[in-house]
Amino acid sequence: MSAVNKDKFIIYQLFTRLFGNRETTNKLYGTIEENGCGKFNDIDDTALAALKAFGVTHLWYTGVLEHATLTDYSQFGINADHPLIVKGIAGSPYAVKDYYDVGPDLAVDVPNRMQEFENLVARTHAHDLKVIIDFIPNHVARQYHSDVRPEGIRDFGEDDDNTVTFNPANNFYYIPNHDFIVPEGHKPPLPVTSPYHERPAKATGNDVFQAQPSQFDWYETVKLNYGVDYLDGRSRHFAPLPSTWLKMRDILIYWTRKGVDGFRCDMAEMVPVEFWGWVIPEVKKENPTVIFIAEIYNPFEYRNYINIGKFDYLYDKVGLYNSLRRIIEGHGSAEDITRIWQQESGDFSEHMLRFLENHDEQRIASRYFAGNPWTALPAMVLSATLHTGPLMVYFGQELGVDPTQQEGFQGEDGRTTIFDYWGVPEFQKWVNGGNFNEELLTTEQRTLRKFYSDLNAFVLKNEAVYAGAFYDLQYVNVDGQSFNYDKTIIYSYLRHTPDQKLLFVYNFHESRTVETFIKVPQDVWTDVLKLGNTGSYKLKPVFPPEVAQVQLPTADITSTGVHIELPPISAFAFEIVPK
């Protein structure tokens, strides 16, 4: 098979602070000494070989950049952060304190932390894996200060005129003549020995232009100024190029030169699309293969951020993730899937990054979502095979991680904490003291992990999936056209290239077995698939692998359809092959 596998790659999002942590104390608001912390060095050759064997292609090392924290590193020349403006003990990785540095938490030898990161990049590349890191362009920690910026680089805010609310040359927005007031309700986990001073107050990261944000705002961060005057109808002032644009270009090129292969851009839509359209080509002059992924939640802006902003890939959260989640939880309809490709992203689907978990979303196995990791498997197959765009798996998803305790700031909410030090028990079994194997896993965990591994392999090895065209079969099967075909729980489509034709069929219902027919119209058979007489072909099961050895009852592929029995929560792929 000769098609090029350009967009279909598999990202494994690895929360660096938690990945290699072997400490099992898990004390509420525990310190780094009590609860432990994973390191760059924990992601060693054994771990990388295991991840490569699992079938992923890219590792998103989440939380690499130095961010605000309540762990004191002042002995290493890093300013301590004030407890009134830090969330959790470890702090949010999205409150960056130095764009030119990596988190001291992640280093075995803190003064040598950058070298430890660079060694990780080299190790990752040696295993033929790509490195993605976060780029957080919209906001920084309130006490942002770069200790290690290269010579000649001016720090954010260093040249600002803080007597005015807005100036396109400023890096921050200000509330002149006002002190920043800590939100009511913030309860720091450490004693507060002195007040926090910030005058004039800076605007808060989630576009809050007042001196006192609420406890539900991103009050630990300050908004960066890209030349948009939010208090004047969002008027744009992009000539000359704003200082923030130039500083951000330098930062992205700095990390690109360290071997980073891609950037997941946090809240990209909160930064003007014109900036992206300028900076992404600038970075690609340095390395044309660097990829940019936008965290974006407004479907009306998708085309702009691809066409004008030049992003390679966008989060498919509001569309596919939300629709599949409703189906998994039992109150959605498979009809939504057709709506997404028809009305939202069908003509640029190769740009959509699909997933069912990440650090912002509740774990599938948690009581807040499916309550069972198995319920999501058909949705995961569909996410991986619907179109040619990339797929993402969050660390521990393949083991059914189910957070059931409050770890600290985040509370017990079905998510794995991003604010505090913690050990992830299900994942630590696989880490197994640094062996990174299945020795301690339960039978159920091994089976679940095998499903994800098999899916990764299937996606990357079948050209109809990674490079083929898509053809939805709903319209010829629903509304009584095919016996017992329930359009709310059954979904079917073709993926095809000249050399390979695959039929995908799903039953999303948790308890109902469905016996039905899947119809492939004659004109699709001849004009789309370019095949001859239907009687000359059969369906060969190819996924999941365990059914690939079992020939289904033979049925002629005709306009009547293919007879099939679908167990509850099932997904099947069949290859159309000559008899």
Side-chain angles (χ1 to χ4, degrees), residues 233-247:
R234 298 186 179 231
S235 58
R236 285 159 143 70
H237 306 264
F238 298 156
L241 288 178
S243 163
T244 303
W245 289 33
L246 300 169
K247 286 180 164 67

Side-chain angles (χ1 to χ4, degrees), residues 32 39 69 71-80 104-106 110 421:
I32 192 169
K39 308 293 181 184
T69 178
T71 301
D72 187 355
Y73 289 101
S74 55
Q75 62 177 307
F76 301 105
I78 298 171
N79 294 339
D105 276 350
L106 304 176
V110 173
Y421 302 108

Side-chain angles (χ1 to χ4, degrees), residues 146-337:
S146 178
D147 302 309
V148 299
R149 65 186 185 277
E151 192 174 345
I153 295 285
R154 303 287 286 172
D155 214 358
F156 283 89
E158 195 173 346
D159 302 314
D160 280 9
D161 174 4
N162 65 13
T163 66
V164 295
T165 302
F166 170 78
N167 182 322
N170 282 353
N171 298 134
F172 299 121
Y173 299 93
Y174 297 92
I175 299 98
N177 305 314
H178 286 79
D179 292 301
F180 173 78
I181 305 169
V182 176
E184 292 180 15
H186 176 67
K187 300 186 177 90
L190 295 183
V192 177
T193 56
S194 63
Y196 171 68
H197 291 294
E198 179 183 308
R199 185 179 180 89
K202 300 183 186 78
T204 291
N206 58 322
D207 298 354
V208 175
F209 295 86
Q210 55 198 44
Q212 185 179 29
S214 90
Q215 62 173 311
F216 305 107
D217 289 318
W218 306 347
Y219 57 82
E220 80 280 26
T221 68
V222 290
K223 174 83 174 177
L224 284 167
N225 173 5
Y226 284 81
V228 178
D229 189 348
Y230 284 82
L231 303 183
D232 180 34
R234 298 186 179 231
S235 58
R236 285 159 143 70
H237 306 264
F238 298 156
L241 288 178
S243 163
T244 303
W245 289 33
L246 300 169
K247 286 180 164 67
M248 288 303 190
R249 177 195 58 188
D250 292 343
I251 289 160
L252 286 164
I253 289 174
Y254 172 84
W255 290 104
T256 300
R257 288 176 178 169
K258 288 192 179 294
V260 169
D261 303 293
F263 298 93
R264 177 269 187 189
C265 300
D266 185 73
M267 298 308 296
E269 68 188 296
M270 295 182 77
V271 170
V273 69
E274 295 88 346
F275 162 73
W276 297 113
W278 172 78
V279 82
I280 289 175
E282 287 284 302
V283 178
K284 291 195 176 191
K285 289 177 189 173
E286 188 72 29
N287 178 359
T289 67
V290 168
I291 62 170
F292 282 81
I293 301 167
E295 179 193 18
I296 185 168
Y297 300 114
N298 181 358
F300 297 105
E301 289 292 334
Y302 285 177
R303 281 182 177 79
N304 285 338
Y305 277 73
I306 293 169
N307 297 328
I308 300 171
K310 310 294 185 187
F311 270 97
D312 299 291
Y313 306 102
L314 312 178
Y315 264 38
D316 198 347
K317 197 275 183 190
V318 173
L320 193 63
Y321 170 91
N322 281 358
S323 296
L324 290 175
R325 178 162 180 164
R326 287 192 296 269
I327 295 169
I328 292 165
E329 293 177 330
H331 53 83
S333 171
E335 294 174 288
D336 273 352
I337 302 165

Side-chain angles (χ1 to χ4, degrees), residues 41-51 119 122-124 126-127 436:
N41 290 0
D42 292 327
I43 310 165
D44 59 14
D45 286 312
T46 305
L48 292 165
L51 291 169
N119 293 345
R123 277 197 305 279
T124 306
H127 287 268
F436 299 98

Side-chain angles (χ1 to χ4, degrees), residues 12 373 396-402 426-431 441 445-446 448-449 452:
Y12 190 81
Q397 177 179 342
E398 74 279 17
L399 299 170
V401 166
D402 177 14
E426 302 94 335
F427 196 76
Q428 287 173 324
K429 285 186 177 181
W430 179 73
V431 172
L441 300 185
Q445 284 178 316
R446 291 182 192 187
L448 184 65
R449 192 172 189 275
Y452 278 95

Side-chain angles (χ1 to χ4, degrees), residues 447 450-451 454 542-550:
T447 306
K450 181 180 184 300
F451 160 82
D454 288 342
V542 290
F543 189 86
E546 51 268 25
V547 303
Q549 307 305 319
V550 183

